[in-house]
Amino acid sequence: LWIAALIGVAMACASDKTDEGDILFESGQYEEAVVAYTEYLDIQPRNIKTLYNRGRAEEELGNLDLAMVDYESVLTLDPDHVKARLSVGNIKFKEGDYQKALYEFDIVVLKHRQNDQAIMFRGKANQKLGNLREALQDYNEAIQINAQNGAAYLYRGTLNIHNKRKTAACKDFTRANELGVADAEKALAKYCKR
């Protein structure tokens, strides 16, 4: 009976560690969050939420290899974990492996047709790969699903600039700026001076 009580206490302490990790992550203390998540994972090594969150903290620290290990562990436990799949795709994108990024985003889009983030990210990968028509279709679809997806407007604007459609680009940059996208104001200043 005392063993069960001891296990219960250990589990409660571990749960506190994952909660602590979440608080540290939210306050930007990523190194401390990694420590808290790791302490929890020492007791619960297959906890998907904590594995994913530790991966996010590692990614924030620039430790992309460590983040990938956690994201891939999540996908081993749950191959349909959308956030982990998108995170893997985004890391591949950051590393310049646009084909693998496209592959990861495609997996999400095929299973979750209404995921505007996955469609937008697929558009970014398509744009980098020179698949400009597909990229435009992806941005349009992401915006159709979620008219508040400011990043999709920004990326569609950059594609419109590439396609020498300045008026359309400036409309997109304006909308992205209205939605609070950080780089939209710079794009407006660079391409849409009156």
Side-chain angles (χ1 to χ4, degrees):
L1 189 59
W2 66 272
I3 293 175
L6 187 59
I7 290 172
V9 169
M11 295 299 288
C13 291
S15 180
D16 290 345
K17 284 297 179 185
T18 196
D19 293 342
E20 178 186 337
D22 293 345
I23 292 166
L24 291 164
F25 182 92
E26 292 303 319
S27 67
Q29 299 176 56
Y30 304 118
E31 289 179 14
E32 294 84 354
V34 167
V35 170
Y37 291 138
T38 300
E39 288 176 7
Y40 179 80
L41 289 167
D42 287 343
I43 296 168
Q44 292 287 319
R46 298 173 57 88
N47 185 284
I48 291 173
K49 177 184 179 277
T50 305
L51 275 168
Y52 175 73
N53 286 342
R54 185 175 68 180
R56 289 176 53 219
E58 291 288 9
E59 188 173 356
E60 288 291 335
L61 291 167
N63 302 330
L64 300 184
D65 290 343
L66 294 173
M68 282 293 285
V69 169
D70 283 340
Y71 296 148
E72 288 172 350
S73 295
V74 169
L75 291 172
T76 298
L77 297 168
D78 177 8
D80 196 34
H81 194 283
V82 171
K83 290 179 180 180
R85 183 77 59 194
L86 292 177
S87 294
V88 168
N90 280 318
I91 287 176
K92 293 298 180 187
F93 188 91
K94 287 176 190 175
E95 294 174 339
D97 193 343
Y98 306 120
Q99 195 63 50
K100 284 189 179 172
L102 180 64
Y103 172 80
E104 297 295 337
F105 301 142
D106 260 341
I107 290 173
V108 176
V109 172
L110 288 172
K111 291 184 178 185
H112 306 277
R113 287 295 313 154
Q114 296 298 304
N115 189 311
D116 64 297
Q117 291 294 309
I119 295 167
M120 179 200 64
F121 290 141
R122 185 176 70 179
K124 284 177 56 180
N126 270 317
Q127 187 171 350
K128 287 290 190 178
L129 289 166
N131 306 328
L132 303 184
R133 188 172 47 120
E134 291 88 346
L136 182 59
Q137 288 171 344
D138 285 338
Y139 297 144
N140 289 339
E141 187 176 347
I143 290 166
Q144 184 178 9
I145 292 168
N146 178 6
Q148 302 300 306
N149 186 333
Y153 287 101
L154 178 69
Y155 300 131
R156 187 173 73 177
T158 63
L159 184 56
N160 281 326
I161 287 294
H162 175 81
N163 290 331
K164 300 184 181 354
R165 298 183 65 224
K166 183 178 176 183
T167 302
C170 291
K171 274 182 69 175
D172 283 339
F173 294 148
T174 298
R175 184 66 180 132
N177 191 46
E178 290 168 355
L179 292 168
V181 177
D183 291 336
E185 192 172 336
K186 292 177 194 169
L188 279 168
K190 183 174 181 179
Y191 298 109
C192 305
K193 291 180 184 176
R194 303 209 183 242

